[in-house]
Amino acid sequence: MSCYHWLASYPKSGNTWLRLALASLSKGGQNLDFRSSELFAPIACDRAAMDEVADVDSAALTLAEEEAARPAFFRLEAAWLGKPQLRKVHHAWTRTAAGEPLFPPDVTASAVYVIRDPRDVAISLAHHHGSSIDAAIAFMDDPAAMLAGGSGYGSPQLRQRLLTWSDHARSWLASPIQPLLVRFEDMLDTPADSLERVARHLRWNPSASAIAGAVEATRFDALQAQEERHGFRERTRAEVPFFRRGLAGGWRDSLTPAQRQRIEASHGEAMAMFGYL
């Protein structure tokens, strides 16, 4: 069955913000409670889910074996769950060594791809990882870049190929899944319109009041206040808030001219395609 709605993005591009808005929208625009244990649109690379559904010890697999098993796992999980599922994805759209799509079109209902100016992504990625901005820029330009790239033992997530920032975006947008493209900057400028576009693409039929409620519930200052009171499960560094600034164009006061030029030299072609140059 066509089960999955993939919510895909390069890391630190607005995926979590969109998922929280959809979580509120799914409940009619209710306020969020970060104390809740409910997982809305969990990540597609959850190791425990693969181990349970496919009855494997995925941590013992090589990267090639792990990736080869993913399409079969998604088909098994789709049959097991039997209803539409939203899944967060940071993995690039790739194929296994045998040529099979990692995210099988036959169990895909739809996909959304969230993109953000890579100059802002570099700053947010550096803060999130606790690295320098130069290191974040190099990571975004590395065709071998991965998340959870080490040994499977001790990692709650399966390994995720990112490719470069440009190739990540191109991989999804050129895929047969044909995702809806949503820009982080448009989510900031016209949040209600952007959320409605996504909801319609997911085949939801929300009311105007529910959309307005979800937009209000996920204002950046509201999310910051929730995180300050209750913490946030996706925060990786105790001393750095997950919801840090939420700005478009913050790179202007954070990048040196040399850093900006490095990003534009590496990704200028893709940046122009998406309106960032």
Side-chain angles (χ1 to χ4, degrees):
M1 64 174 292
S2 297
C3 173
Y4 295 106
H5 298 275
W6 311 111
L7 303 179
S9 72
Y10 195 87
K12 307 310 295 179
S13 298
N15 197 310
T16 297
W17 184 25
L18 176 61
R19 288 185 293 122
L20 290 172
L22 290 171
S24 172
L25 188 60
S26 72
K27 297 181 179 180
Q30 289 183 13
N31 287 332
L32 300 169
D33 186 351
F34 282 12
R35 294 169 296 182
S36 171
S37 60
E38 180 183 0
L39 281 174
F40 187 83
I43 196 159
C45 62
D46 181 66
R47 185 176 296 282
M50 183 173 183
D51 290 355
E52 179 181 5
V53 174
D55 192 24
V56 298
D57 179 10
S58 60
L61 302 178
T62 66
L63 175 59
E65 290 169 337
E66 188 181 284
E67 290 186 340
R70 298 277 295 275
F73 158 67
F74 287 131
R75 293 188 178 100
L76 281 172
E77 188 183 49
W80 185 49
L81 294 168
K83 60 182 180 180
Q85 303 289 319
L86 271 70
R87 288 290 185 268
K88 168 186 174 180
V89 178
H90 283 322
H91 203 297
W93 196 93
T94 60
R95 295 179 181 271
T96 67
E100 187 174 13
L102 201 69
F103 303 96
D106 52 289
V107 292
T108 294
S110 73
V112 176
Y113 188 81
V114 185
I115 196 164
R116 185 184 187 187
D117 189 323
R119 294 166 294 196
D120 284 328
V121 171
I123 299 161
S124 188
L125 197 64
H127 281 274
H128 187 69
H129 286 170
S131 72
S132 68
I133 291 176
D134 286 330
I137 292 171
F139 183 79
M140 294 169 65
D141 201 27
D142 182 1
M146 282 194 189
L147 293 181
S151 168
Y153 287 104
S155 173
Q157 293 185 3
L158 301 168
R159 288 161 285 196
Q160 301 148 69
R161 291 186 188 272
L162 296 181
L163 310 179
T164 69
W165 178 87
S166 296
D167 287 339
H168 190 284
R170 290 190 185 105
S171 74
W172 276 95
L173 296 171
S175 75
I177 291 175
Q178 297 183 322
L180 173 71
L181 177 66
V182 179
R183 296 192 342 149
F184 175 86
E185 295 76 16
D186 295 333
M187 291 167 58
L188 282 172
D189 291 342
T190 55
D193 289 347
S194 297
L195 184 57
E196 183 175 14
R197 282 182 65 224
V198 173
R200 301 291 182 195
H201 188 71
L202 298 177
R203 298 165 199 160
W204 294 7
N205 188 30
S207 66
S209 62
I211 291 172
V215 168
E216 181 68 16
T218 53
R219 290 194 336 266
F220 214 77
D221 60 340
L223 298 177
Q224 287 175 320
Q226 278 262 34
E227 182 180 9
E228 186 175 349
R229 287 196 299 270
H230 307 303
F232 187 62
R233 73 177 70 222
E234 296 188 25
R235 184 169 171 170
T236 56
R237 299 169 59 214
E239 73 279 10
V240 178
F242 187 92
F243 300 101
R244 194 178 59 87
R245 294 180 75 186
L247 298 177
W251 60 268
R252 290 183 174 86
D253 60 17
S254 299
L255 295 182
T256 67
Q259 290 169 334
R260 174 183 61 78
Q261 289 164 9
R262 282 175 59 199
I263 294 170
E264 292 174 0
S266 294
H267 307 292
E269 182 180 342
M271 290 172 71
M273 287 172 55
F274 305 118
Y276 294 128
L277 286 179

